[in-house]
Amino acid sequence: MLYQMLEDDFDVEIIGPASNKGIWFPLRSLKGIHIKISRTRNMLKMIDGEIVFASKPLIGSFGVGILAKILKGKKLLVDIDDWQLGFIKHEYSKLNFAQKVIRLVKDLKRFFYIDSYWNCMLCEKLLFFSDGITVSNSFLKNRFKGTTIYHVRDETLFNPERFQKNALREEHNIPINDKIILFLGTIRSHKGIESLISAIHEIKNQHVKLMLINSCDDNYSLGLKNEAESKLGKRVILLGPISFEETPEFLAIADLYVIPQTESFASSGQIPAKLFDAMSMGLPIIATNISDIPDILQECGWIVKSNSPAEIASAIIHAIENPDEAIKKGKKARQIYLETYSLKIVKPKLTNFVFEIIQNSKS
């Protein structure tokens, strides 16, 4: 989305490392984006623009940007959309003292991995090299300062008027009278999917079904899928990764979107981008009281306690039994999105931010 917000005013290209699997699946099908893939050690040679805009404070992005600043005189910006060190602290919190020591030693050996403690910790310490920082929520702003740029979506692509729910359900063999509760994204332990599965299990209405669309296939995700199938049987629809362009289609199929984040180091510095996906598509939303979520949702969703399947279940039942209220909240979500978080609204803010960096470098 940074690319899309800047491409009209600047010549933009994406340079980055990739594993043997290539470009991240949800982005592979995007057209019109100039992407160069290279090994990390060759990325510096490929940088020829005035400004390097690093994605996340990591060695493979921000570290390369620091070298470009020192050796090539480039201006260096960094976008911090999640608290990377928080993800690692969350994992470390599950370990005992001996396990933490072992993990710290291992992380030193795997320094360049994005989930290495030393990689994330060092890059946070080196943020003084940056000429500007953008962040995605108030936690990150308090920690790193910078300019807040929320996750945005193109309101012309994420537009509920483009889709017919009944036709899409027929295409995907989903009964019209089923109530589809959607979670779409990367399954991680701080996402609270266990609570969502338990909440659906508590609901007696057999037409209430969970659609779980997951973008990865690690052991944790596979375990949760097995748990969902065991508890819910035919009341769960499990799908693998979908492309970014397919996302609004599956949102259009759903009746409710649930964001069951748990309170943790990982979630404190994160605003799920899927929150804005759901708002843009006019879906009523149930979410936990984590990070900036309550402030963003305001009157366009229901806020529940984290780690509370009973509260999630109660909110789902309420939304289903009060369809007029749910529709009203969905329309309000779309309105707030268009007025505050859409591409049209946020794009000028980011563009002006970059222009100011350029202007300051010339003065």
Side-chain angles (χ1 to χ4, degrees):
M1 292 311 301
L2 290 175
Y3 183 106
Q4 194 169 1
M5 285 191 281
L6 295 172
E7 64 176 337
D8 289 340
D9 298 283
F10 305 93
D11 291 327
V12 184
E13 65 180 13
I14 298 174
I15 299 173
S19 66
N20 293 333
K21 295 181 180 179
I23 298 172
W24 185 46
F25 179 84
L27 299 184
R28 287 179 197 172
S29 64
L30 290 183
K31 299 177 177 63
I33 295 182
H34 187 195
I35 300 178
K36 292 181 180 178
I37 298 175
S38 169
R39 293 185 179 276
T40 302
R41 62 175 176 268
N42 295 327
M43 286 169 56
L44 184 62
K45 299 177 183 178
M46 301 168 68
I47 295 174
D48 56 12
E50 292 181 55
I51 294 177
V52 176
F53 207 149
S55 174
K56 304 181 186 296
L58 294 166
I59 291 296
S61 53
F62 183 59
V64 175
I66 291 175
L67 291 177
K69 178 172 184 174
I70 294 172
L71 301 177
K72 292 188 168 186
K74 308 298 183 183
K75 286 294 178 180
L76 176 58
L77 310 179
V78 59
D79 178 58
I80 308 177
D81 62 340
D82 293 312
W83 188 30
Q84 293 297 125
L85 193 57
F87 292 151
I88 296 170
K89 284 178 175 286
H90 174 66
E91 294 303 318
Y92 271 61
S93 68
K94 305 172 188 177
L95 308 177
N96 60 37
F97 179 77
Q99 290 171 327
K100 288 178 182 177
V101 172
I102 293 171
R103 174 68 186 270
L104 283 169
V105 173
K106 287 183 177 179
D107 277 2
L108 191 58
K109 293 180 179 179
R110 49 197 297 280
F111 177 78
F112 291 97
Y113 284 67
I114 63 173
D115 60 345
S116 166
Y117 170 83
W118 303 106
N119 182 344
C120 296
M121 184 273 292
L122 176 63
C123 284
E124 280 199 12
K125 299 294 184 183
L126 295 177
L127 281 171
F128 65 87
F129 275 103
S130 67
D131 297 293
I133 296 173
T134 56
V135 296
S136 67
N137 58 68
S138 61
F139 174 92
L140 297 175
K141 186 173 181 64
N142 290 335
R143 186 175 179 87
F144 302 115
K145 311 307 179 188
T147 298
T148 302
I149 302 292
Y150 284 107
H151 301 291
V152 301
R153 294 293 183 257
D154 183 345
E155 57 272 19
T156 61
L157 176 64
F158 285 75
N159 182 353
E161 294 181 0
R162 294 179 57 226
F163 304 94
Q164 294 294 326
K165 177 182 287 189
N166 290 353
L168 287 173
R169 288 202 172 190
E170 183 176 351
E171 179 183 339
H172 292 279
N173 297 314
I174 298 173
I176 301 300
N177 59 340
D178 280 352
K179 300 300 180 183
I180 301 299
I181 315 303
L182 177 63
F183 176 88
L184 191 164
T186 304
I187 292 179
R188 292 287 182 262
S189 59
H190 68 280
K191 298 292 183 76
I193 308 304
E194 295 95 335
S195 293
L196 179 55
I197 293 170
S198 296
I200 300 296
H201 185 253
E202 286 185 18
I203 297 172
K204 303 305 180 185
N205 186 342
Q206 296 300 300
H207 288 291
V208 177
K209 296 180 179 178
L210 173 62
M211 178 180 283
L212 198 58
I213 303 177
N214 179 35
S215 60
C216 62
D217 57 358
D218 60 353
N219 290 335
Y220 180 76
S221 298
L222 293 174
L224 269 183
K225 288 179 181 179
N226 291 335
E227 180 183 341
E229 288 183 315
S230 174
K231 282 188 173 182
L232 303 179
K234 294 182 179 180
R235 294 177 62 201
V236 63
I237 302 168
L238 297 173
L239 298 175
I242 60 174
S243 70
F244 182 77
E245 292 167 323
E246 292 176 297
T247 298
E249 176 180 321
F250 283 92
L251 288 163
I253 288 173
D255 295 288
L256 277 170
Y257 196 90
V258 179
I259 301 174
Q261 300 267 100
T262 61
E263 189 169 358
S264 68
F265 287 115
S267 60
S268 61
Q270 182 184 55
I271 290 293
K274 296 301 183 290
L275 171 63
F276 300 103
D277 291 357
M279 291 178 69
S280 68
M281 289 297 292
L283 268 178
I285 301 163
I286 297 169
T288 49
N289 55 345
I290 301 296
S291 189
D292 292 348
I293 292 175
D295 294 329
I296 292 170
L297 277 186
Q298 298 179 37
E299 67 267 38
C300 65
W302 293 274
I303 299 297
V304 297
K305 292 179 182 177
S306 65
N307 295 309
S308 178
E311 282 206 21
I312 295 173
S314 178
I316 291 172
I317 292 170
H318 177 85
I320 290 171
E321 292 180 348
N322 296 273
D324 291 342
E325 181 184 351
I327 291 171
K328 183 178 179 181
K329 285 186 180 294
K331 289 181 177 179
K332 187 66 176 179
R334 172 73 178 175
Q335 178 188 339
I336 292 175
Y337 160 80
L338 289 174
E339 293 174 351
T340 310
Y341 306 111
S342 64
L343 179 65
K344 179 180 179 180
I345 296 298
V346 179
K347 178 181 175 180
K349 184 177 181 180
L350 180 63
T351 301
N352 291 337
F353 168 77
V354 176
F355 272 128
E356 286 179 11
I357 298 298
I358 295 173
Q359 191 63 38
N360 291 339
S361 68
K362 294 179 179 179
S363 59

